[in-house]
Amino acid sequence: MNNFQYTRVKSPATAITELSKNPAAKLLAGGTNLIDLMKYGVMSPDKLVDINRLEFSDIKRGQGTLHIGSMVRNSVAAADATVLEYQPLLSQAMLAGASAQLRNKASMGGNLLQRTRCPYFYDITADCNKRAPGTGCSALEGFNRMHAIFGASSSCIAVNPSDMNVALVALDAVVQVSGPKGNRSIMMADFHRLPGTHPELDSTLDKKEIITGIVIPDNAFAKHTTYLKVRDRASYAFALISVAAALEMDGSTIKDLRLAMGGVAHKPWRLTEAENFLKGKTASVANFKLAAELAMKGAKSYGHNDFKLKLAPNSIIQALKTASGVKA
Ligand SMILES: Cc1cc2nc3c(=O)[nH]c(=O)nc-3n(C[C@H](O)[C@H](O)[C@H](O)COP(=O)(O)OP(=O)(O)OC[C@H]3O[C@@H](n4cnc5c(N)ncnc54)[C@H](O)[C@@H]3O)c2cc1C
Ligand code: SF4
């Protein structure tokens, strides 16, 4: 690990000043991803700006919204009574991630910005455009079992590893940020990027900005939500495929719904076409199969991850069955 300076800030303004005067500085939240990356030599910030004392730890109701501060720990948010009442899908997704110990440290802001788990990104001897732009992508012809089937480019086929992000994109969450130019809100769907020719950039957050919180608009999905995560082990493993499904039912009719997938793209992947198809339709396995077919349009695999082309639609169907209560 390289030498680095450490400072603990007491106000968001000081954090923004630290980021503004030093482009090589990084914010330190729970440290469960950043410190690992520093130990592996993947990231080498010369200054850590500790934001653990900032007052971004509130969970509160607004007018038709739920606000969660960026320093709220994943375990706290997942167990919070208001989150469970208004946004149970978020709680389910967070509890599917990592382990209890990690969730006790992991913050909402850090989870949003956790980096990919592509093995070549972590191996500093391998070519990797995300870690070292212009060197190539070892995963294209290499071991790409965990990798993308949507939205990839010839520069990078990595996936966003977060479970929480899949629920947030399904729920139309908004990320609140603060920077030298003031405050702004970024729709969750626009927060993460596709790799294109710049896979080194994971998000649209400016380097000088800090995430202050996440806002989720109210919805009528609470009774019919499922986060399905398919992985190699029952816990402590990243998703091969995950599906966030949230339905508003009127008898057997799907009045409204949200669907998103994880483990398939460089960003949490919203299934808008499948949503549009199912809206107003009867909840049935036949309709779920048609929706899954629509969701898979344009999917492309890279060898070791060919199995995702079957696993993904099956997971969509299963998540919809569980969320709707449709059995056969
Ligand atoms: C063994 C292991 C298994 C895991 N399994 C899963 C899993 O199954 N599913 C899953 O979703 N996750 C999993 N994780 C990842 C874990 O959820 C993340 O490491 C965690 O959420 C990161 O949060 P943190 O607060 O520790 O972030 P940090 O490591 O402190 O920071 C991560 C990044 O976010 C930036 N950052 C943090 N807060 C802010 C802010 N407020 N504003 C701007 N930038 C900020 C930091 O500068 C850094 O670049 C796993 C991690 C480990 C180590
Ligand atoms: S998939 Fe992306 S992260 Fe993985 S080796 Fe290729 S460029 Fe690097």
Side-chain angles (χ1 to χ4, degrees):
M1 202 194 270
N2 285 0
N3 287 339
F4 58 89
Q5 287 184 302
Y6 168 90
T7 184
R8 182 187 285 153
V9 291
K10 292 192 180 125
S11 75
T14 321
I16 294 164
T17 305
E18 289 286 351
L19 293 177
S20 300
K21 67 183 187 202
N22 182 358
K26 277 276 166 203
L27 300 179
L28 176 69
T32 60
N33 190 216
L34 180 57
I35 301 294
D36 272 0
L37 290 165
M38 289 170 69
K39 287 181 185 163
Y40 282 108
V42 176
M43 290 176 78
S44 315
D46 61 16
K47 189 167 198 176
L48 290 187
V49 181
D50 186 339
I51 55 173
N52 280 276
R53 298 278 165 90
L54 297 189
E55 308 253 310
F56 295 147
S57 48
D58 49 336
I59 300 179
K60 61 178 187 234
R61 296 276 304 141
Q63 288 209 325
T65 58
L66 175 69
H67 169 96
I68 307 176
S70 62
M71 280 309 301
V72 173
R73 307 296 165 172
N74 285 182
S75 54
V76 172
D80 183 83
T82 315
V83 173
L84 285 167
E85 182 180 351
Y86 287 92
Q87 306 296 348
L89 178 66
L90 177 61
S91 174
Q92 290 166 25
M94 282 193 293
L95 290 176
S99 63
Q101 292 90 338
L102 283 159
R103 292 193 295 270
N104 284 340
K105 285 298 282 177
S107 65
M108 302 300 286
N111 197 329
L112 276 171
L113 287 175
Q114 64 170 294
R115 306 211 68 190
T116 187
R117 292 283 160 170
C118 172
Y120 304 106
F121 177 68
Y122 276 77
D123 175 359
I124 56 170
T125 64
D127 292 337
C128 170
N129 287 323
K130 185 179 277 298
R131 176 175 29 77
T135 54
C137 171
S138 300
L140 274 173
E141 302 289 331
F143 185 61
N144 47 37
R145 184 165 184 272
M146 298 293 288
H147 290 69
I149 52 172
F150 292 111
S153 73
S154 56
S155 298
C156 179
I157 58 171
V159 298
N160 184 293
S162 166
D163 293 296
M164 181 190 88
N165 291 346
V166 184
L168 287 178
V169 82
L171 295 168
D172 288 322
V174 177
V175 184
Q176 294 184 316
V177 310
S178 191
K181 294 181 188 158
N183 301 333
R184 68 182 178 119
S185 301
I186 309 172
M187 284 298 297
M188 188 61 194
D190 301 324
F191 185 80
H192 295 96
R193 296 179 67 258
L194 289 179
T197 51
H198 286 286
E200 71 279 12
L201 301 174
D202 293 340
S203 78
T204 53
L205 188 75
D206 189 87
K207 279 187 175 167
K208 298 170 194 158
E209 288 178 320
I210 181 170
I211 301 166
T212 58
I214 294 165
V215 173
I216 310 173
D218 285 354
N219 54 57
F221 302 132
K223 285 191 195 140
H224 299 281
T225 61
T226 295
Y227 185 73
L228 173 68
K229 179 172 177 179
V230 185
R231 49 187 152 173
D232 284 327
R233 289 187 303 269
S235 98
Y236 208 46
F238 289 90
L240 291 165
I241 296 283
S242 68
V243 181
L247 310 180
E248 181 185 354
M249 301 294 295
D250 181 5
S252 60
T253 303
I254 302 171
K255 205 169 158 199
D256 199 6
L257 77 156
R258 301 285 185 277
L259 275 176
M261 261 199 287
V264 295
H266 200 255
K267 61 191 287 185
W269 196 248
R270 183 82 177 256
L271 309 180
T272 316
E273 227 178 308
E275 285 177 12
N276 291 340
F277 170 78
L278 284 175
K279 203 167 167 177
K281 295 236 171 30
T282 303
S284 69
V285 174
N287 280 334
F288 297 160
K289 281 184 179 165
L290 290 170
E293 270 174 37
L294 284 173
M296 292 304 293
K297 272 201 319 201
K300 177 178 185 282
S301 59
Y302 294 87
H304 295 280
N305 69 349
D306 291 348
F307 69 96
K308 288 192 178 185
L309 298 181
K310 263 197 174 173
L311 182 61
N314 286 343
S315 303
I316 294 169
I317 295 163
Q318 184 57 51
L320 285 165
K321 281 169 69 177
T322 309
S324 65
V326 167
K327 296 271 185 291

